[in-house]
Amino acid sequence: MVLSIEKAIDMLQQIELYALACYHTTQGHIKAINQLETKEEIEAYNFKTGYPGKLSFFG
């Protein structure tokens, strides 16, 4: 695959923002889970919500 420098830099910036959004979501889940008190609450917690959609660079 051949990319222009500009396109590669743009992709890296998008990846950085995506990773940051994922990190913040994960930290929010950790905080929420740490505030739960019972095993049942923890097991019922949906940690898959809130993440950004997957990146798509081609098509």
Side-chain angles (χ1 to χ4, degrees):
M1 176 186 314
V2 177
L3 296 174
S4 68
I5 293 173
E6 293 82 15
K7 181 65 177 173
I9 290 171
D10 179 58
M11 290 172 71
L12 288 172
Q13 288 173 338
Q14 289 181 55
I15 292 169
E16 180 180 12
L17 293 175
Y18 177 82
L20 186 61
C22 289
Y23 174 80
H24 286 298
T25 300
T26 299
Q27 293 305 307
H29 287 309
I30 290 170
K31 182 179 179 181
I33 289 169
N34 284 333
Q35 293 175 350
L36 300 176
E37 296 181 2
T38 67
K39 176 184 172 186
E40 292 75 24
E41 288 176 323
I42 293 169
E43 289 175 346
Y45 185 84
N46 185 357
F47 60 87
K48 296 181 181 180
T49 63
Y51 286 96
K54 293 181 182 180
L55 295 177
S56 176
F57 295 111
F58 306 104

